Every structure is written in C-alpha cells, then in structure tokens.
C-alpha cells in the first residue's frame, strides 16, 4: 500500500476511535515530571466543561463546608467580619466621685500614686494610670478603660474606708444636738470631721484626726480659752499653727504631719486639721468662749 493510502487509513482509524470516546468517555493515565504514572483521571468529553466552585483554588485546611474549615485570613477592617470592639473608657481626666477615689486608692497600693485619694481624676492620676498601663504592655492613654481596670483589680485588694479617705474628704456625721445652738466647733470622732456651726447652720467642714490610744483626745463640751497663731509645743517640740486651745494642752490646730501623711499617723491628743487655708479661716472666725463639742 502506498504512503498516501496508509495515511488515509490511519485517519479513518483515528476518527473511529474518537467516535467511540465521544460515545462512552474514557480514563486517561497521567504522568508526572518523573515519568511515573498517576491514578487514572476521568475525563468527560461528552458535555460542557466542569464548573469551578467558589472555593476552588483557595488555600484551605479542609473542605469549605466542614466544621473547622479555614478560609483565607481576614485583615482588620476588611469588612468580611466585625473588628474587635475597643475597651470602654470608664474614667478620664476631669471625672470625680467615689469610683475615682477607689481607683486612686488601688493605684496607691501598687505604688503608682503617692498623693490622694482625692476623688478627682487630675493630672497626677492620669500620669499614674499611664505608667501602670505602659508597665503592663497596654496602650498608654492615661484613661482608665475596662482592660486597665481589670488588671488593677487583679493586683489589689478592696480598699477600706480610711484607704479611700486617707487624705480626708469624707462626709461629715450628723451634728451632735449640743452643737445646734450658739457658736460651736462640732467635732465627730466617728466621721473624723469638724463642723464650724453658728446657730445650727454649718459654715464650713474640715477633715480632722485625733490622738492615739496612748494619747486620746478628750470627749465632752469645752470652750476655746486661748488662741495662739504661731504656737510651738515645748512638750513635743513641734509647731502647732493656728491653735485653738479648749482642754488643757489639747487644741484644734493645723498639722504639717497630717497634711503629709493623712490618717497614717495620729496626734498627741489634739484635733489636727490638714487643710492650712481652711484652718486659717477658722482661726480668724472663732472667738475665745466659743463652744467645742467632741463627740463620737
């Protein structure tokens, strides 16, 4: 047979094989780069090309519909899901109240705050919070948010009353009935406050402290019998500015130690005032003969 005849016969055989494949489909043995055979792959040549699924070609640790399947990682703010909510701010500079006082008391426990508590979120509190945050890898905002507060709670104990009012500022007790007439210095040991009262009206209130168990402040009704603007105690070798003497050597007076240490200390029996300006005003208003009531 001639070469041309052989070519026509070969083409006929190829067309016959193609018709058989179209009718039944077939499997094709693939080979890899090393020439070795792979598992047979079914190729359907009878219909349309297969459709690509939405997940096809994406990296995944498992089928997309299986639990735990991981799709592509999401960048923050990509819109494919909610971003984590920022921590809610609880207190910031300018706030005031009992909660701020507790914050300050707890900051004192971890030695980030020396002054106070005052109950006002001031610049010192802001710096203390910022330092606490930075030490623990939190954003140094100076504002107390929920994350910062939780960390501080975990590191501190519940403050007691005199932790909260270490430097004064506590509310005054109700006045003793003996204070409701005339001019009276109404001194409460339970609330550690002094009310200056005239005819039953409170003119001013200051925080005070008293003597220790060894040197207690006497209780009862007394009168101011001597005013000494720049008094010096020869017994204890210490200053007693704006002294209002009411019982022997005991007086109401300003105390530098009370101003510095608050209720961490005690007097030798006197009624100490830590606010110098308030004590100066009181000294100017009180007269000899005015009543002093020291009560529980």
């Amino acid at each position: 047979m001639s070469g041309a005849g052989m070519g026509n016969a070969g083409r006929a055989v190829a067309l016959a094989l193609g018709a058989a494949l179209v009718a039944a489909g077939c499997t094709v043995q693939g080979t890899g780069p090393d020439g070795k055979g792979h598992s047979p792959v079914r190729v359907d040549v009878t219909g349309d090309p297969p459709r690509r699924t939405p997940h096809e070609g994406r990296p995944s640790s498992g089928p997309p519909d299986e639990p735990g399947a991981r799709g592509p990682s999401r960048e923050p703010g990509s819109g494919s899901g909610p971003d984590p909510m920022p921590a809610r701010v609880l207190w910031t500079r300018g706030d005031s109240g009992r909660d701020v006082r507790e914050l300050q008391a707890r900051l004192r426990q971890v030695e980030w705050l020396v002054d106070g508590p005052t109950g006002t979120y001031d610049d010192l509190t802001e710096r203390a919070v910022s330092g606490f945050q930075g030490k623990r890898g939190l954003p140094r905002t100076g504002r107390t948010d929920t994350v910062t507060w939780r960390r501080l709670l975990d590191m501190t104990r519940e403050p007691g009353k005199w932790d909260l009012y270490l430097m004064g500022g506590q509310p005054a007790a109700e006045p003793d009935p003996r204070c409701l007439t005339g001019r009276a210095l109404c001194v409460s040991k339970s609330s550690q406050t002094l009310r200056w009262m005239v005819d039953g009206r409170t003119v001013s209130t200051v925080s005070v402290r008293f003597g220790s168990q060894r040197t207690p402040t006497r209780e009862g009704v007394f009168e101011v019998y001597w005013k000494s603007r720049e008094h010096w105690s020869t017994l204890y070798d210490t200053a007693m500015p704006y002294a209002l003497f009411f019982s022997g050597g005991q007086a109401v007076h300003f105390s530098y130690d009370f101003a510095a240490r608050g209720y961490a200390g005690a007097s030798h029996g006197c009624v100490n005032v830590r606010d110098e300006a308030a004590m100066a005003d009181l000294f100017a208003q009180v007269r000899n003969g005015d009543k002093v009531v020291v009560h529980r």
Side-chain angles (χ1 to χ4, degrees):
M1 184 178 292
S2 68
M6 289 293 291
N8 291 334
R11 282 194 292 273
V13 171
L15 289 172
L17 287 172
L21 286 172
V22 168
C26 74
T27 60
V28 179
Q29 182 74 30
T31 58
D34 57 0
K36 296 181 179 180
H38 290 174
S39 300
V41 178
R42 181 77 174 179
V43 179
D44 186 357
V45 297
T46 63
D48 295 332
R51 292 185 179 179
R52 192 179 163 112
T53 66
H55 297 281
E56 194 172 358
R58 297 183 184 178
S60 174
S61 61
D65 295 333
E66 287 183 4
R70 292 164 50 190
S73 60
R74 180 179 66 84
E75 295 296 329
S78 65
S80 59
D83 288 330
M85 293 294 292
R88 181 168 59 91
V89 174
L90 300 174
W91 309 291
T92 190
R93 188 168 180 173
D95 290 340
S96 61
R98 196 269 181 198
D99 290 339
V100 173
R101 192 176 288 277
E102 180 177 347
L103 167 67
Q104 294 169 329
R106 290 181 183 272
L107 286 169
R108 282 181 60 88
Q109 290 180 35
V110 292
E111 299 181 351
W112 276 104
L113 190 64
V114 176
D115 293 343
T118 64
T120 299
Y121 205 118
D122 54 12
D123 58 330
L124 296 177
T125 306
E126 187 176 60
R127 288 200 292 269
V129 170
S130 177
F132 177 84
Q133 290 169 328
K135 185 73 172 179
R136 281 142 195 90
L138 302 174
R140 298 185 64 147
T141 64
R143 300 186 296 271
T144 304
D145 55 36
T146 51
V147 175
T148 303
W149 181 237
R150 174 50 55 190
R151 292 293 295 274
L152 186 58
L153 288 177
D154 290 343
M155 296 177 63
T156 54
R157 59 172 176 79
E158 181 75 18
K161 177 180 178 179
W162 298 113
D163 294 319
L164 297 174
Y165 297 102
L166 179 67
M167 295 299 179
Q170 67 275 17
E174 289 297 317
D176 185 280
R178 294 169 292 181
C179 302
L180 299 180
T181 57
R183 298 162 58 88
L185 293 170
C186 196
V187 185
S188 168
K189 283 190 170 182
S190 62
S191 65
Q192 302 204 73
T193 55
L194 180 155
R195 290 176 184 261
W196 166 229
M197 304 187 68
V198 177
D199 297 330
R201 179 178 61 89
T202 299
V203 178
S204 61
T205 304
V206 293
S207 300
V208 296
R209 74 176 184 182
F210 304 98
S212 64
Q213 290 183 345
R214 294 179 57 188
T215 56
T217 303
R218 290 183 280 275
E219 298 175 22
V221 180
F222 312 93
E223 288 184 359
V224 175
Y225 70 89
W226 181 31
K227 297 173 60 174
S228 181
R229 167 66 179 76
E230 297 179 356
H231 192 78
W232 185 270
S233 171
T234 56
L235 179 61
Y236 296 108
D237 194 29
T238 187
M240 296 172 56
Y242 307 105
L244 302 171
F245 286 92
F246 62 88
S247 177
Q250 294 190 356
V252 177
H253 68 85
F254 170 71
S255 167
Y256 293 105
D257 183 73
F258 187 22
R261 297 200 299 145
Y263 290 105
S267 76
H268 294 103
C270 288
V271 178
N272 288 168
V273 176
R274 68 179 307 271
D275 186 332
E276 186 172 11
M279 187 63 228
D281 288 343
L282 195 61
F283 185 86
Q285 296 176 54
V286 173
R287 309 168 188 162
N288 285 338
D290 285 345
K291 187 165 43 178
V292 179
V293 179
V294 181
H295 64 96
R296 284 290 173 183

